[in-house]
Amino acid sequence: TAGGATTATTAAPGATSVPTTTLAEDDSDSSIPWIPIAIAIAAGGRALGRVDVEAGDVLYLALEDTGRRLQSRLSAVLGDDPAPARLHLATECAALTDGGAPRIGDWLDQHPDARLVIVDVFTKIRGTTDGNEGRYESDYRAMSALKDLADEAGVAFLVVHHTRKAVSEDYI
């Protein structure tokens, strides 16, 4: 890279060069769609059944799962096949303000061929709000920390955020 700038690595061809994406959803079964994407990128091949992806390291922070639940979800996708060696899983990570950001940064330093970091779910890594800080400011501060990591490493981040935990017919 010229002048110390980092070139963004897209997780899939044609993906936006902006390396941080936030997705909002209800909590019907949030990690299911992200696991096949993580597996496809870690193994290389086709993501979502139609997008060719280059293999690279993937960090999946499944912060609402237990090890057993995550294993069950992986088995639902992989069957009896082993998980790709480049798929790195964690069910715990400190809040960004309590050492989580440096921990993710260390992982990125140790995996120079990383292509994707998935944070599932943002609330678990955001940290607590300062008594003088509103929710927007807290979210902004946390997302800025993730964006800084993404920019520095040139790696795509997929950040899952629930807009609400309860499922309802009437969303208002």
Side-chain angles (χ1 to χ4, degrees):
T1 58
T6 302
T7 303
T9 301
T10 58
T16 178
S17 62
V18 177
T20 305
T21 301
T22 303
L23 301 169
E25 59 174 281
D26 68 24
D27 190 34
S28 54
D29 202 354
S30 63
S31 67
I32 295 300
W34 318 129
I35 290 173
I37 293 170
I39 290 169
I41 293 171
R46 295 181 75 79
L48 303 172
R50 63 177 183 252
V51 180
D52 291 325
V53 293
E54 182 180 330
D57 293 308
V58 175
L59 175 60
Y60 190 121
L61 298 174
L63 303 176
E64 289 189 316
D65 287 340
T66 62
R68 180 175 288 183
R69 184 176 182 199
L70 185 56
Q71 183 62 45
S72 173
R73 290 175 179 208
L74 285 168
S75 294
V77 175
L78 292 168
D80 292 329
D81 294 334
R86 297 182 88 174
L87 177 61
H88 304 266
L89 306 167
T91 56
E92 295 180 6
C93 184
L96 295 169
T97 56
D98 294 331
R103 183 175 172 196
I104 295 168
D106 289 347
W107 184 89
L108 289 166
D109 289 343
Q110 294 167 14
H111 297 88
D113 294 326
R115 301 193 60 75
L116 178 64
V117 174
I118 299 174
V119 176
D120 184 6
V121 61
F122 177 64
T123 302
K124 288 282 201 170
I125 204 166
R126 172 181 50 214
T128 57
T129 58
D130 179 319
N132 298 322
E133 182 178 62
R135 176 71 64 175
Y136 173 82
E137 290 81 10
S138 176
D139 288 353
Y140 190 90
R141 182 174 33 84
M143 285 303 298
S144 292
L146 291 176
K147 184 177 183 318
D148 289 347
L149 288 167
D151 289 346
E152 184 177 318
V155 172
F157 273 58
L158 188 153
V159 180
V160 180
H161 177 61
H162 302 305
T163 54
R164 56 184 287 145
K165 290 294 285 184
V167 176
S168 172
E169 298 277 331
D170 179 8
Y171 62 90
I172 296 180

